[in-house]
Amino acid sequence: MSLESPESSQETFTHKVEFELNGSPERHSVPTSTTVLDLLRNSCSKQGVRASCERSVCGACTVLVDDLPVAACSTFAFDIDGARVETVEGLAAQDGTLSAQQQAFRECGGFQCGFCTSGMLMVTTALLRQNPQPDREEIRDWISSNTCRCTGYEMILESVERAAELAGAKQQDQAPE
């Protein structure tokens, strides 16, 4: 009987992933164990996707996949093959005009250190797409998936309510007469 351990295989399996990122096509070949967080931060240079708990608990890594908020830290990259992915970098207009959500968080001080802000903005974006006029209870329910360690939640709640007002006003301005 041999006490030597069997040689471990160093073979790495890869997976080809094609998806749309903030409106642009992306194509990567990644190890099967790569998470969306790693792919977006390391291969796509999207540093707004925050690495924090890496257990789907804090929400700092939230991105939208086909309009649904997803914890990028616990989603495999191969799961977004063929999907539309949005990060905080895609919220502002190309000319730098802030989205309603970004403007509202800025106006209402919905951040302090800013670490959770990108995840909060993505959750807010998904919420307002599903319900443009959420009540406070619904807002509280949605943002409960994201942890803020320094502002308290009152200013974040006010920011989401203000974002709904700004988005509604923008839609009225764009509506045909």
PDB file of all heavy atoms in Angstrom, residues 19-26:
ATOM      1  N   PHE A  19     -22.108  37.623 -23.907  1.00  0.00           N
ATOM      2  CA  PHE A  19     -23.213  38.350 -23.289  1.00  0.00           C
ATOM      3  C   PHE A  19     -23.125  39.812 -23.684  1.00  0.00           C
ATOM      4  O   PHE A  19     -22.124  40.256 -24.257  1.00  0.00           O
ATOM      5  CB  PHE A  19     -23.189  38.186 -21.757  1.00  0.00           C
ATOM      6  CG  PHE A  19     -21.921  38.673 -21.097  1.00  0.00           C
ATOM      7  CD1 PHE A  19     -21.882  39.904 -20.475  1.00  0.00           C
ATOM      8  CD2 PHE A  19     -20.773  37.895 -21.105  1.00  0.00           C
ATOM      9  CE1 PHE A  19     -20.723  40.351 -19.861  1.00  0.00           C
ATOM     10  CE2 PHE A  19     -19.604  38.337 -20.505  1.00  0.00           C
ATOM     11  CZ  PHE A  19     -19.577  39.557 -19.879  1.00  0.00           C
ATOM     12  N   GLU A  20     -24.170  40.537 -23.364  1.00  0.00           N
ATOM     13  CA  GLU A  20     -24.195  41.978 -23.615  1.00  0.00           C
ATOM     14  C   GLU A  20     -23.925  42.665 -22.278  1.00  0.00           C
ATOM     15  O   GLU A  20     -24.600  42.389 -21.291  1.00  0.00           O
ATOM     16  CB  GLU A  20     -25.566  42.387 -24.159  1.00  0.00           C
ATOM     17  CG  GLU A  20     -25.675  43.863 -24.470  1.00  0.00           C
ATOM     18  CD  GLU A  20     -27.082  44.221 -24.912  1.00  0.00           C
ATOM     19  OE1 GLU A  20     -27.567  43.621 -25.887  1.00  0.00           O
ATOM     20  OE2 GLU A  20     -27.676  45.094 -24.250  1.00  0.00           O
ATOM     21  N   LEU A  21     -22.937  43.540 -22.254  1.00  0.00           N
ATOM     22  CA  LEU A  21     -22.579  44.261 -21.036  1.00  0.00           C
ATOM     23  C   LEU A  21     -22.792  45.758 -21.252  1.00  0.00           C
ATOM     24  O   LEU A  21     -22.101  46.368 -22.073  1.00  0.00           O
ATOM     25  CB  LEU A  21     -21.125  43.985 -20.642  1.00  0.00           C
ATOM     26  CG  LEU A  21     -20.610  44.722 -19.412  1.00  0.00           C
ATOM     27  CD1 LEU A  21     -21.441  44.409 -18.170  1.00  0.00           C
ATOM     28  CD2 LEU A  21     -19.140  44.374 -19.185  1.00  0.00           C
ATOM     29  N   ASN A  22     -23.737  46.312 -20.553  1.00  0.00           N
ATOM     30  CA  ASN A  22     -24.062  47.735 -20.677  1.00  0.00           C
ATOM     31  C   ASN A  22     -24.233  48.154 -22.133  1.00  0.00           C
ATOM     32  O   ASN A  22     -23.783  49.205 -22.557  1.00  0.00           O
ATOM     33  CB  ASN A  22     -22.991  48.594 -19.981  1.00  0.00           C
ATOM     34  CG  ASN A  22     -22.913  48.313 -18.501  1.00  0.00           C
ATOM     35  OD1 ASN A  22     -23.897  47.957 -17.869  1.00  0.00           O
ATOM     36  ND2 ASN A  22     -21.722  48.462 -17.935  1.00  0.00           N
ATOM     37  N   GLY A  23     -24.852  47.275 -22.906  1.00  0.00           N
ATOM     38  CA  GLY A  23     -25.162  47.579 -24.298  1.00  0.00           C
ATOM     39  C   GLY A  23     -24.101  47.175 -25.312  1.00  0.00           C
ATOM     40  O   GLY A  23     -24.308  47.343 -26.512  1.00  0.00           O
ATOM     41  N   SER A  24     -22.983  46.642 -24.869  1.00  0.00           N
ATOM     42  CA  SER A  24     -21.918  46.240 -25.795  1.00  0.00           C
ATOM     43  C   SER A  24     -21.681  44.731 -25.699  1.00  0.00           C
ATOM     44  O   SER A  24     -21.728  44.166 -24.615  1.00  0.00           O
ATOM     45  CB  SER A  24     -20.613  46.961 -25.450  1.00  0.00           C
ATOM     46  OG  SER A  24     -20.777  48.347 -25.593  1.00  0.00           O
ATOM     47  N   PRO A  25     -21.376  44.114 -26.841  1.00  0.00           N
ATOM     48  CA  PRO A  25     -21.140  42.670 -26.809  1.00  0.00           C
ATOM     49  C   PRO A  25     -19.811  42.324 -26.134  1.00  0.00           C
ATOM     50  O   PRO A  25     -18.833  43.053 -26.262  1.00  0.00           O
ATOM     51  CB  PRO A  25     -21.128  42.280 -28.285  1.00  0.00           C
ATOM     52  CG  PRO A  25     -20.759  43.529 -29.007  1.00  0.00           C
ATOM     53  CD  PRO A  25     -21.282  44.664 -28.190  1.00  0.00           C
ATOM     54  N   GLU A  26     -19.808  41.225 -25.405  1.00  0.00           N
ATOM     55  CA  GLU A  26     -18.593  40.716 -24.748  1.00  0.00           C
ATOM     56  C   GLU A  26     -18.467  39.245 -25.080  1.00  0.00           C
ATOM     57  O   GLU A  26     -19.464  38.529 -25.162  1.00  0.00           O
ATOM     58  CB  GLU A  26     -18.685  40.863 -23.223  1.00  0.00           C
ATOM     59  CG  GLU A  26     -18.660  42.272 -22.720  1.00  0.00           C
ATOM     60  CD  GLU A  26     -17.262  42.878 -22.692  1.00  0.00           C
ATOM     61  OE1 GLU A  26     -16.260  42.122 -22.596  1.00  0.00           O
ATOM     62  OE2 GLU A  26     -17.183  44.125 -22.767  1.00  0.00           O
TER      63      GLU A  26
END
